Short mmCIF file of all heavy atoms in Angstrom, two decimals:
data_model
loop_
_atom_site.label_atom_id
_atom_site.label_comp_id
_atom_site.label_asym_id
_atom_site.label_seq_id
_atom_site.Cartn_x
_atom_site.Cartn_y
_atom_site.Cartn_z
N LEU A 347 75.69 92.48 110.77
CA LEU A 347 76.55 91.45 111.34
C LEU A 347 77.09 91.83 112.71
O LEU A 347 77.11 91.01 113.62
CB LEU A 347 77.71 91.15 110.38
CG LEU A 347 77.31 90.30 109.18
CD1 LEU A 347 78.41 90.28 108.14
CD2 LEU A 347 76.99 88.89 109.62
N LEU A 351 73.90 90.84 114.95
CA LEU A 351 74.36 89.46 115.13
C LEU A 351 75.66 89.39 115.93
O LEU A 351 76.19 88.30 116.16
CB LEU A 351 74.50 88.77 113.77
CG LEU A 351 73.19 88.64 113.00
CD1 LEU A 351 73.40 87.98 111.65
CD2 LEU A 351 72.17 87.83 113.79
N ARG A 352 76.21 90.54 116.33
CA ARG A 352 77.31 90.58 117.28
C ARG A 352 78.58 89.87 116.81
O ARG A 352 79.30 89.27 117.60
CB ARG A 352 76.87 90.00 118.63
CG ARG A 352 75.68 90.75 119.14
CD ARG A 352 75.12 90.13 120.37
NE ARG A 352 73.92 90.86 120.76
CZ ARG A 352 73.24 90.64 121.84
NH1 ARG A 352 73.63 89.71 122.66
NH2 ARG A 352 72.19 91.34 122.12
N ASN A 354 82.42 89.62 115.30
CA ASN A 354 83.65 90.36 115.59
C ASN A 354 83.86 91.48 114.57
O ASN A 354 83.78 91.27 113.36
CB ASN A 354 84.83 89.39 115.55
CG ASN A 354 86.15 90.08 115.80
OD1 ASN A 354 86.68 90.72 114.90
ND2 ASN A 354 86.65 89.98 116.99
N ASN A 356 86.55 93.39 113.73
CA ASN A 356 87.73 93.35 112.86
C ASN A 356 87.53 92.40 111.70
O ASN A 356 87.80 92.73 110.55
CB ASN A 356 88.97 92.91 113.65
CG ASN A 356 89.36 93.93 114.69
OD1 ASN A 356 89.19 95.13 114.48
ND2 ASN A 356 89.87 93.47 115.81
N THR A 361 86.38 91.20 106.06
CA THR A 361 85.57 90.44 105.10
C THR A 361 84.86 91.40 104.14
O THR A 361 84.78 91.14 102.94
CB THR A 361 84.53 89.58 105.84
OG1 THR A 361 85.22 88.79 106.80
CG2 THR A 361 83.77 88.69 104.89
N PHE A 365 85.01 91.27 100.21
CA PHE A 365 83.76 91.16 99.46
C PHE A 365 83.56 92.37 98.55
O PHE A 365 83.25 92.23 97.37
CB PHE A 365 82.60 91.05 100.46
CG PHE A 365 81.24 91.01 99.84
CD1 PHE A 365 80.77 89.86 99.23
CD2 PHE A 365 80.42 92.13 99.85
CE1 PHE A 365 79.51 89.83 98.65
CE2 PHE A 365 79.17 92.11 99.28
CZ PHE A 365 78.71 90.95 98.68
N PHE A 372 84.37 92.51 90.07
CA PHE A 372 83.53 91.55 89.35
C PHE A 372 82.58 92.27 88.40
O PHE A 372 82.60 92.06 87.19
CB PHE A 372 82.74 90.73 90.38
CG PHE A 372 81.91 89.62 89.80
CD1 PHE A 372 82.46 88.38 89.56
CD2 PHE A 372 80.56 89.82 89.51
CE1 PHE A 372 81.69 87.35 89.03
CE2 PHE A 372 79.79 88.80 88.98
CZ PHE A 372 80.36 87.56 88.74
N TRP A 501 92.49 102.22 102.80
CA TRP A 501 93.35 102.03 103.98
C TRP A 501 94.00 103.34 104.38
O TRP A 501 94.20 103.60 105.56
CB TRP A 501 94.40 100.96 103.70
CG TRP A 501 93.79 99.60 103.51
CD1 TRP A 501 93.78 98.85 102.36
CD2 TRP A 501 93.08 98.82 104.48
NE1 TRP A 501 93.11 97.68 102.57
CE2 TRP A 501 92.67 97.63 103.85
CE3 TRP A 501 92.75 99.04 105.82
CZ2 TRP A 501 91.95 96.65 104.53
CZ3 TRP A 501 92.03 98.06 106.49
CH2 TRP A 501 91.63 96.87 105.84
N GLN A 542 109.08 105.62 96.99
CA GLN A 542 108.41 104.73 97.93
C GLN A 542 108.40 105.31 99.34
O GLN A 542 107.48 105.07 100.11
CB GLN A 542 109.09 103.35 97.96
CG GLN A 542 108.81 102.52 96.72
CD GLN A 542 109.66 102.94 95.54
OE1 GLN A 542 110.73 103.51 95.72
NE2 GLN A 542 109.19 102.67 94.34
N SER A 560 98.54 107.56 122.49
CA SER A 560 98.45 106.53 123.52
C SER A 560 99.34 106.87 124.71
O SER A 560 99.01 106.56 125.84
CB SER A 560 98.79 105.16 122.95
OG SER A 560 100.15 105.09 122.61
N GLN A 569 90.77 107.71 120.19
CA GLN A 569 89.71 106.95 119.55
C GLN A 569 88.51 106.86 120.51
O GLN A 569 88.72 106.76 121.71
CB GLN A 569 90.23 105.54 119.27
CG GLN A 569 89.34 104.73 118.39
CD GLN A 569 89.90 103.33 118.16
OE1 GLN A 569 90.53 102.74 119.02
NE2 GLN A 569 89.67 102.81 116.99
N PHE A 578 76.59 94.59 124.18
CA PHE A 578 75.51 93.67 124.54
C PHE A 578 74.90 94.18 125.82
O PHE A 578 75.57 94.23 126.84
CB PHE A 578 76.01 92.24 124.83
CG PHE A 578 76.95 91.69 123.83
CD1 PHE A 578 77.89 90.75 124.20
CD2 PHE A 578 76.90 92.09 122.51
CE1 PHE A 578 78.77 90.23 123.28
CE2 PHE A 578 77.78 91.57 121.59
CZ PHE A 578 78.72 90.64 121.97
N GLU A 581 75.14 91.98 128.91
CA GLU A 581 76.46 91.65 129.47
C GLU A 581 77.05 92.83 130.21
O GLU A 581 78.22 92.86 130.54
CB GLU A 581 77.41 91.23 128.34
CG GLU A 581 77.20 89.78 127.95
CD GLU A 581 78.08 89.34 126.83
OE1 GLU A 581 78.99 90.11 126.46
OE2 GLU A 581 77.85 88.24 126.33
N LYS B 255 71.46 84.59 126.34
CA LYS B 255 72.68 83.83 126.06
C LYS B 255 72.41 82.35 126.31
O LYS B 255 71.80 81.98 127.30
CB LYS B 255 73.79 84.33 126.98
CG LYS B 255 75.13 83.90 126.47
CD LYS B 255 76.20 84.90 126.84
CE LYS B 255 77.45 84.51 126.08
NZ LYS B 255 78.43 85.51 126.00
N LEU B 286 72.88 86.57 86.60
CA LEU B 286 73.78 86.89 85.50
C LEU B 286 73.57 85.97 84.30
O LEU B 286 74.30 86.03 83.32
CB LEU B 286 75.24 86.78 85.97
CG LEU B 286 75.65 87.77 87.05
CD1 LEU B 286 77.04 87.46 87.55
CD2 LEU B 286 75.60 89.19 86.51
N TRP B 334 94.61 91.87 118.42
CA TRP B 334 94.12 91.86 117.04
C TRP B 334 95.25 92.14 116.08
O TRP B 334 95.46 93.26 115.65
CB TRP B 334 92.96 92.85 116.87
CG TRP B 334 91.89 92.55 117.86
CD1 TRP B 334 91.52 93.31 118.91
CD2 TRP B 334 91.08 91.37 117.91
NE1 TRP B 334 90.52 92.69 119.62
CE2 TRP B 334 90.23 91.49 119.03
CE3 TRP B 334 90.99 90.21 117.14
CZ2 TRP B 334 89.31 90.51 119.39
CZ3 TRP B 334 90.08 89.25 117.50
CH2 TRP B 334 89.24 89.40 118.60
N TRP B 391 102.32 101.10 126.46
CA TRP B 391 101.41 102.25 126.49
C TRP B 391 99.98 101.91 126.09
O TRP B 391 99.17 102.79 125.87
CB TRP B 391 101.94 103.37 125.59
CG TRP B 391 103.12 104.07 126.16
CD1 TRP B 391 103.18 104.81 127.32
CD2 TRP B 391 104.45 104.09 125.62
NE1 TRP B 391 104.44 105.28 127.51
CE2 TRP B 391 105.25 104.86 126.48
CE3 TRP B 391 105.04 103.53 124.48
CZ2 TRP B 391 106.60 105.08 126.25
CZ3 TRP B 391 106.38 103.75 124.24
CH2 TRP B 391 107.15 104.53 125.14
N THR B 393 98.97 101.03 123.27
CA THR B 393 98.71 101.57 121.94
C THR B 393 97.84 100.58 121.16
O THR B 393 98.09 99.38 121.20
CB THR B 393 100.03 101.79 121.19
OG1 THR B 393 100.91 102.53 122.03
CG2 THR B 393 99.81 102.54 119.89
N ASN B 394 96.84 101.12 120.45
CA ASN B 394 95.88 100.27 119.72
C ASN B 394 96.60 99.39 118.69
O ASN B 394 97.17 99.89 117.73
CB ASN B 394 94.86 101.16 119.03
CG ASN B 394 93.78 100.37 118.34
OD1 ASN B 394 94.06 99.38 117.67
ND2 ASN B 394 92.55 100.79 118.51
N TYR B 404 101.50 98.41 105.38
CA TYR B 404 101.77 99.26 104.23
C TYR B 404 103.20 99.78 104.26
O TYR B 404 103.80 100.02 103.21
CB TYR B 404 100.71 100.36 104.15
CG TYR B 404 99.40 99.71 103.83
CD1 TYR B 404 98.52 99.35 104.83
CD2 TYR B 404 99.12 99.31 102.54
CE1 TYR B 404 97.37 98.65 104.55
CE2 TYR B 404 97.98 98.62 102.25
CZ TYR B 404 97.10 98.29 103.26
OH TYR B 404 95.97 97.58 102.97
N PHE B 412 110.37 99.56 97.36
CA PHE B 412 111.65 100.26 97.29
C PHE B 412 112.75 99.31 96.84
O PHE B 412 113.51 99.63 95.93
CB PHE B 412 111.98 100.86 98.66
CG PHE B 412 113.38 101.34 98.80
CD1 PHE B 412 113.81 102.47 98.10
CD2 PHE B 412 114.29 100.68 99.60
CE1 PHE B 412 115.12 102.92 98.21
CE2 PHE B 412 115.60 101.11 99.72
CZ PHE B 412 116.02 102.23 99.03
N TRP B 535 89.58 82.85 111.88
CA TRP B 535 88.33 83.14 112.59
C TRP B 535 87.25 82.12 112.26
O TRP B 535 86.52 81.66 113.13
CB TRP B 535 87.87 84.55 112.27
CG TRP B 535 86.84 85.03 113.23
CD1 TRP B 535 85.51 85.13 113.03
CD2 TRP B 535 87.07 85.44 114.58
NE1 TRP B 535 84.89 85.60 114.15
CE2 TRP B 535 85.83 85.79 115.12
CE3 TRP B 535 88.21 85.56 115.38
CZ2 TRP B 535 85.69 86.25 116.43
CZ3 TRP B 535 88.06 86.01 116.68
CH2 TRP B 535 86.81 86.35 117.18
N VAL B 574 84.12 87.42 95.80
CA VAL B 574 82.70 87.60 96.11
C VAL B 574 82.19 86.40 96.90
O VAL B 574 81.55 86.55 97.94
CB VAL B 574 81.88 87.78 94.82
CG1 VAL B 574 80.40 87.88 95.14
CG2 VAL B 574 82.34 89.02 94.06
N LEU B 580 81.90 83.97 104.22
CA LEU B 580 82.33 84.51 105.51
C LEU B 580 81.21 85.28 106.20
O LEU B 580 81.01 85.15 107.41
CB LEU B 580 83.53 85.42 105.31
CG LEU B 580 84.84 84.68 105.16
CD1 LEU B 580 85.89 85.58 104.54
CD2 LEU B 580 85.30 84.19 106.51
N PHE B 581 80.47 86.08 105.43
CA PHE B 581 79.37 86.84 106.02
C PHE B 581 78.39 85.88 106.70
O PHE B 581 77.97 86.09 107.84
CB PHE B 581 78.62 87.64 104.95
CG PHE B 581 79.32 88.91 104.55
CD1 PHE B 581 79.22 89.39 103.25
CD2 PHE B 581 80.07 89.63 105.45
CE1 PHE B 581 79.85 90.56 102.86
CE2 PHE B 581 80.71 90.81 105.09
CZ PHE B 581 80.59 91.26 103.78
N PHE B 588 76.09 83.86 115.86
CA PHE B 588 75.10 84.42 116.77
C PHE B 588 74.14 83.33 117.25
O PHE B 588 73.80 83.25 118.41
CB PHE B 588 74.35 85.54 116.06
CG PHE B 588 73.21 86.11 116.84
CD1 PHE B 588 73.45 87.06 117.80
CD2 PHE B 588 71.91 85.70 116.60
CE1 PHE B 588 72.40 87.59 118.54
CE2 PHE B 588 70.87 86.22 117.32
CZ PHE B 588 71.11 87.18 118.29
N TYR B 592 73.44 82.54 121.12
CA TYR B 592 72.28 83.21 121.69
C TYR B 592 71.00 82.52 121.24
O TYR B 592 70.96 81.88 120.19
CB TYR B 592 72.22 84.67 121.26
CG TYR B 592 73.43 85.47 121.70
CD1 TYR B 592 74.52 85.60 120.85
CD2 TYR B 592 73.47 86.07 122.94
CE1 TYR B 592 75.64 86.32 121.26
CE2 TYR B 592 74.57 86.79 123.35
CZ TYR B 592 75.66 86.92 122.50
OH TYR B 592 76.75 87.62 122.90
#
Side-chain angles (χ1 to χ4, degrees):
Chain A
L347 284 168
L351 298 178
R352 303 173 183 185
N354 178 282
N356 293 327
T361 307
F365 177 77
F372 185 86
W501 294 114
Q542 287 78 25
S560 68
Q569 191 181 34
F578 312 151
E581 279 179 9
Chain B
K255 197 149 190 163
L286 296 173
W334 305 112
W391 287 296
T393 309
N394 184 316
Y404 293 94
F412 167 70
W535 196 256
V574 176
L580 280 162
F581 281 148
F588 175 82
Y592 300 93

